[in-house]
Amino acid sequence: MKKLLMANWKMNPKTEKEAIRLAKASDAANVVVYPPFPFLPAVAKALKKATLGAQDLFWEAETGPYTGEVSARELKSVGVEYVIIGHSSRRALGEKDEVIAKKVQAALSVGLVPILCVGEVLEEREAGRAQEVVDKQLRTVLSQLPLVAHGQLFVAYEPVWAISTTPHSSGLQSLSAEEAPAKSVELIRYMQHMVSTIQMETKFLYGGSVNLKNVQEVFGYDEIDGALVGGASLKAAEFGKMIKEVST
Ligand code: 13P
């Protein structure tokens, strides 16, 4: 399978018009675009080659009295194929592994491909607990999945300290985002092993300040099947160049 470049737009851009422009600039076969919910139909229409993703969902399968929530089936009905679950911005708002597990199951139940995000914060990395933290995040979700789900799941390792837009709780940063892809490989290898011991098969993405400068490095690691890009995916010119970089 070709490695994938995934564009997580988070809460951007401001208007549908801008979303359409950005979608057209990001439209390539190995790209998955994740716009905010209101722009999904317009972006779906604008994309000819790229695939549509959503940034979250609610776990209940049926329609019902869940104000503000969006179901997996609703997303599917507007052309969504992939869905990000358990992103660090949602975990920072209080989302827990148990809820994330339910969301992953809801996605799989209608044939959406979940992108399960895991990653430690700076304090955990500095305390030598990165592996332990990620292990728990992953194990809680995987232990609840049916066997048929294997191979249909991406795990995105996003060390929170390497995500450029996240304010760091400690002012002094002993680790730089430049070191993150290389450091992530060790942890991804650990997760690959962990996943294989429970007879599962997943693909792995890296996320955290991926940009034009380091996208080749990230795509060069055999352990990594693609990148989840935030900030750089909002800059049409830069993202266009990143698409070219990884397609040649
Ligand atoms: P940045 O690429 O802006 O660091 O964001 C990464 C991310 O959170 C993607 O989901």
Side-chain angles (χ1 to χ4, degrees):
M1 199 194 102
K2 257 185 107 67
K3 297 195 179 194
L4 294 170
L5 201 51
M6 301 202 177
N8 178 9
W9 291 356
K10 308 186 182 178
M11 201 171 77
N12 298 282
K14 284 200 185 88
T15 65
E16 185 182 273
K17 206 170 155 197
E18 286 173 80
I20 292 169
R21 199 176 326 124
L22 194 53
K24 286 183 176 160
S26 314
D27 196 17
N30 55 341
V31 170
V32 184
V33 178
Y34 298 84
F37 289 141
F39 304 147
L40 283 169
V43 170
K45 225 169 135 195
L47 296 177
K48 301 289 174 244
K49 299 180 197 149
T51 308
L52 191 64
Q55 297 175 20
D56 193 19
L57 49 56
F58 189 53
W59 63 80
E60 286 292 345
E62 299 308 324
T63 50
Y66 311 111
T67 305
E69 302 293 354
V70 178
S71 76
R73 246 186 226 125
E74 286 166 343
L75 292 174
K76 233 188 151 187
S77 76
V78 294
V80 168
E81 294 180 44
Y82 289 76
V83 60
I84 295 172
I85 298 173
H87 191 276
S88 59
S89 13
R90 302 225 48 89
R91 290 180 188 265
L93 292 171
E95 196 161 296
K96 297 277 181 277
D97 290 329
E98 291 66 26
V99 161
I100 292 166
K102 286 206 258 183
K103 290 185 171 185
V104 169
Q105 280 172 292
L108 289 167
S109 73
V110 302
L112 291 179
V113 179
I115 312 296
L116 166 63
C117 298
V118 298
E120 79 287 358
V121 299
L122 185 64
E123 288 78 2
E124 291 163 338
R125 161 75 58 169
E126 288 183 335
R129 293 185 50 231
Q131 188 170 305
E132 175 201 329
V133 168
V134 164
D135 182 283
K136 179 180 174 286
Q137 291 173 338
L138 196 52
R139 215 175 276 275
T140 311
V141 174
L142 295 188
S143 63
Q144 300 192 28
L145 293 187
L147 285 171
V148 287
H150 299 183
Q152 291 158 22
L153 179 77
F154 279 82
V155 175
Y157 173 56
E158 300 202 296
V160 182
W161 47 272
I163 297 177
S164 58
T165 52
T166 304
H168 300 286
S169 45
S170 66
L172 269 180
Q173 185 97 346
S174 58
L175 282 163
S176 77
E178 276 109 74
E179 299 172 74
K183 288 206 179 296
S184 76
V185 173
E186 296 159 33
L187 211 48
I188 289 176
R189 264 192 221 123
Y190 168 78
M191 285 190 273
Q192 277 173 334
H193 175 71
M194 186 270 245
V195 159
S196 72
T197 61
I198 50 175
Q199 275 93 50
M200 291 199 98
E201 213 187 288
T202 62
K203 297 191 184 70
F204 287 90
L205 303 171
Y206 170 77
S209 300
V210 178
N211 54 39
L212 186 56
K213 276 197 221 136
N214 63 9
V215 71
Q216 283 284 22
E217 180 200 344
V218 171
F219 272 59
Y221 295 115
D222 288 343
E223 292 83 354
I224 299 179
D225 301 295
L228 189 52
V229 187
S233 73
L234 297 170
K235 300 174 192 153
E238 176 167 5
F239 197 65
K241 285 185 196 152
M242 288 169 72
I243 295 172
K244 276 209 190 98
E245 279 279 304
V246 301
S247 310
T248 48

